[in-house]
Amino acid sequence: EAGVAQSPRYKIIEKRQSVAFWCNPISGHATLYWYQQILGQGPKLLIQFQNNGVVDDSQLPKDRFSAERLKGVDSTLKIQPAKLEDSAVYLCASSHPDSYQPQHFGDGTRLSIL
Amino acid sequence: EDQVTQSPEALRLQEGESSSLNCSYTVSGLRGLFWYRQDPGKGPEFLFTLYSAGEEKEKERLKATLTKKESFLHITAPKPEDSATYLCAVRSNYGGATNKLIFGTGTLLAVQP
């Protein structure tokens, strides 16, 4: 079974610029997550989708971050404008809707803000 | 507030030297404790899920156990390829439909030949 696909793998931008990340979940996984992992820390949930709908975006900085999941499959996460503190790895994960199912992660996008 | 603390932060072992990693947690109703392995430049790779105190899971040289306050990841006769960061995460009852995982900061394990 193919894993979670993410692109790009790396991105370098200057502060105040915008950036977008793309994620394709494991086939059949209705639930999709975006996590932020700052160096030396564990991942932190930004947003959870169930099919097209948002389940939890309580930790998403909505003044600069946005995410969408059209057609209940692929998802994009956007940052506009970027700040220095947004430098991190952005991980996408997917799972079956059952809350006891594990989340499977992609390899992430490493974002560096200059 | 839900919280996960992992110890030690880093651990260096000789090949074949068994040891344990600790994950202590406080949650408002546990809906699963998860162990992941993360290699440099990669995403977390799922290892185990534990649901209730007393439960144990095994996979090759790894064994995970769970009590009401903590979980241990036991590594028996480790090999250099077991070197990685091991992350512990919990899911709580708070927030209804959310499946949010609360992660610890991980234990960086280095196994020397």
Side-chain angles (χ1 to χ4, degrees), chain A residues 42, chain B residues 1-9 21-27 33 35 69-73 86-90 102-107:
Chain B
E1 182 178 335
D2 299 338
Q3 195 166 7
V4 176
T5 302
Q6 291 188 246
S7 62
E9 289 185 4
L21 312 182
N22 177 263
C23 171
S24 62
Y25 63 90
T26 54
V27 293
L33 184 141
W35 282 98
K69 294 184 177 181
E70 58 191 351
S71 176
F72 292 93
L73 185 65
Y86 290 85
L87 294 166
C88 171
V90 297
I102 305 296
F103 280 88
T105 55
T107 293

Side-chain angles (χ1 to χ4, degrees), chain A residues 84-106:
Chain A
L84 293 175
E85 59 260 37
D86 298 332
S87 292
V89 176
Y90 291 86
L91 295 163
C92 179
S94 69
S95 73
H96 290 295
D98 181 346
S99 63
Y100 290 94
Q101 293 296 316
Q103 298 174 22
H104 297 276
F105 287 81

Side-chain angles (χ1 to χ4, degrees), chain A residues 49-70:
Chain A
F49 290 94
Q50 179 85 5
N51 296 309
N52 292 343
V54 175
V55 173
D56 184 353
D57 63 357
S58 58
Q59 297 188 95
L60 186 73
K62 298 180 186 62
D63 58 333
R64 297 184 299 106
F65 286 65
S66 64
E68 61 180 8
R69 190 182 185 198
L70 301 177

Side-chain angles (χ1 to χ4, degrees), chain A residues 6-73:
Chain A
Q6 291 189 246
S7 67
R9 290 283 284 125
Y10 305 93
K11 191 74 177 178
I12 301 174
I13 63 172
E14 295 186 348
K15 61 182 179 183
R16 291 187 290 274
Q17 287 187 326
S18 63
V19 65
F21 315 123
W22 174 83
C23 172
N24 180 247
I26 292 172
S27 178
H29 282 188
T31 309
L32 184 147
Y33 316 80
W34 284 101
Y35 284 83
Q36 179 192 59
Q37 186 174 24
I38 293 172
L39 187 64
Q41 299 182 18
K44 182 184 81 171
L45 181 71
L46 294 175
I47 189 167
Q48 174 189 336
F49 290 94
Q50 179 85 5
N51 296 309
N52 292 343
V54 175
V55 173
D56 184 353
D57 63 357
S58 58
Q59 297 188 95
L60 186 73
K62 298 180 186 62
D63 58 333
R64 297 184 299 106
F65 286 65
S66 64
E68 61 180 8
R69 190 182 185 198
L70 301 177
K71 301 181 181 178
V73 182

